[in-house]
Amino acid sequence: MSTWVTGKIINIKNWTDQLFSLIVRAPVNTFIAGQFTKIKIKINNIIVQRAYSYLNAPHNPNLEFYIATILEGKCTPLLCTLRPGDTLMLTKKAYGRFILNEIPNCKNLWMLASGTGIGPYLSILEDHDKRLCQFSNIVLVHAVRFSKNLNYLSQIRKLQNFYNGKLHVQTIISQEESSSSLSGRIPNLIENDSLEKKVGLQLDINNSHVMLCGNPKMIQDTKEILNKKYGMQDHLRCKPGHITQERYW
């Protein structure tokens, strides 16, 4: 049974009318970059909870969560009404194996995200874990509908400078044209080789591992094309493979 602690909202970043970030202080246990917690709130005698990845590095006391408002959902319409000073509940313990310890040795690590799925990758990259040194190249791909949804791009660019050539960043926009981004969906851009050509690296079953986080449809379709085109399989503790995924719903 989960142990819950009280967190206090210290800041809210309202990016768009449907995207916001909560910054919270709470006495949670130290987590591993890439893990998630569960957030629970009670409003008007209604209790709802959902899993959210930590976006901040473990050493940062400001716990950050990147959230998309789902109008028909039960949790996010309530979360978006909160203000600084309000409280919510978090599980004291973090969960998940979407962490570097679970990634097998490889030359190229591909971090593919759609929407708010960028969160755990930022936590991992901001942690500056020495295990990142084992990879020759880290490819961070962020796919969104519109350019206004690339809310963490400035932070990503700073990380790109920090990793000094190791971190390759590629943005994808599906609903508008952009001279600096690819256009389309992640699985289609893998299928037609556009992503690899743009990044300048190949997805190779012998030297690559792919991490997937974001919309379940993106994850499903990307896994299918990776399997069909390259023979890549899910990575399991009992059966090593080439794909590690994180999904909460």
Side-chain angles (χ1 to χ4, degrees), residues 113-124:
S114 64
T116 56
I118 194 69
Y121 298 130
L122 294 180
S123 180
I124 291 169

Side-chain angles (χ1 to χ4, degrees), residues 62-75:
N62 293 333
L63 311 177
E64 187 161 352
F65 306 97
Y66 188 30
I67 302 170
T69 301
I70 309 299
L71 297 179
E72 66 275 16
K74 295 181 179 180
C75 189

Side-chain angles (χ1 to χ4, degrees), residues 125-174:
L125 292 169
E126 288 285 4
D127 193 32
H128 304 158
D129 193 300
K130 64 182 181 180
R131 279 171 287 242
L132 289 168
C133 297
Q134 69 179 291
F135 309 112
S136 298
N137 298 285
I138 302 169
V139 181
L140 179 63
V141 176
H142 191 197
V144 297
R145 292 183 178 181
F146 304 101
S147 57
K148 67 179 181 180
N149 301 143
L150 294 170
N151 305 122
Y152 284 91
L153 188 56
S154 60
Q155 182 176 341
I156 290 170
R157 293 302 184 197
K158 291 178 182 179
L159 285 166
Q160 193 173 23
N161 291 333
F162 175 84
Y163 285 101
N164 194 27
K166 182 188 290 284
L167 178 61
H168 308 263
V169 175
Q170 182 58 54
T171 56
I172 298 172
I173 299 175
S174 63

Side-chain angles (χ1 to χ4, degrees), residues 170-196:
Q170 182 58 54
T171 56
I172 298 172
I173 299 175
S174 63
Q175 300 296 317
E176 64 184 22
E177 295 294 328
S178 171
S179 59
S180 59
S181 299
L182 285 172
S183 179
R185 297 180 65 241
I186 289 175
N188 301 102
L189 294 170
I190 292 175
E191 186 173 27
N192 63 23
D193 298 324
S194 295
L195 179 58
E196 292 166 83

Side-chain angles (χ1 to χ4, degrees), residues 18-33:
Q18 291 185 310
L19 287 168
F20 64 99
S21 297
L22 293 179
I23 295 85
V24 181
R25 285 287 183 99
V28 297
N29 291 344
T30 301
F31 63 93
I32 302 172

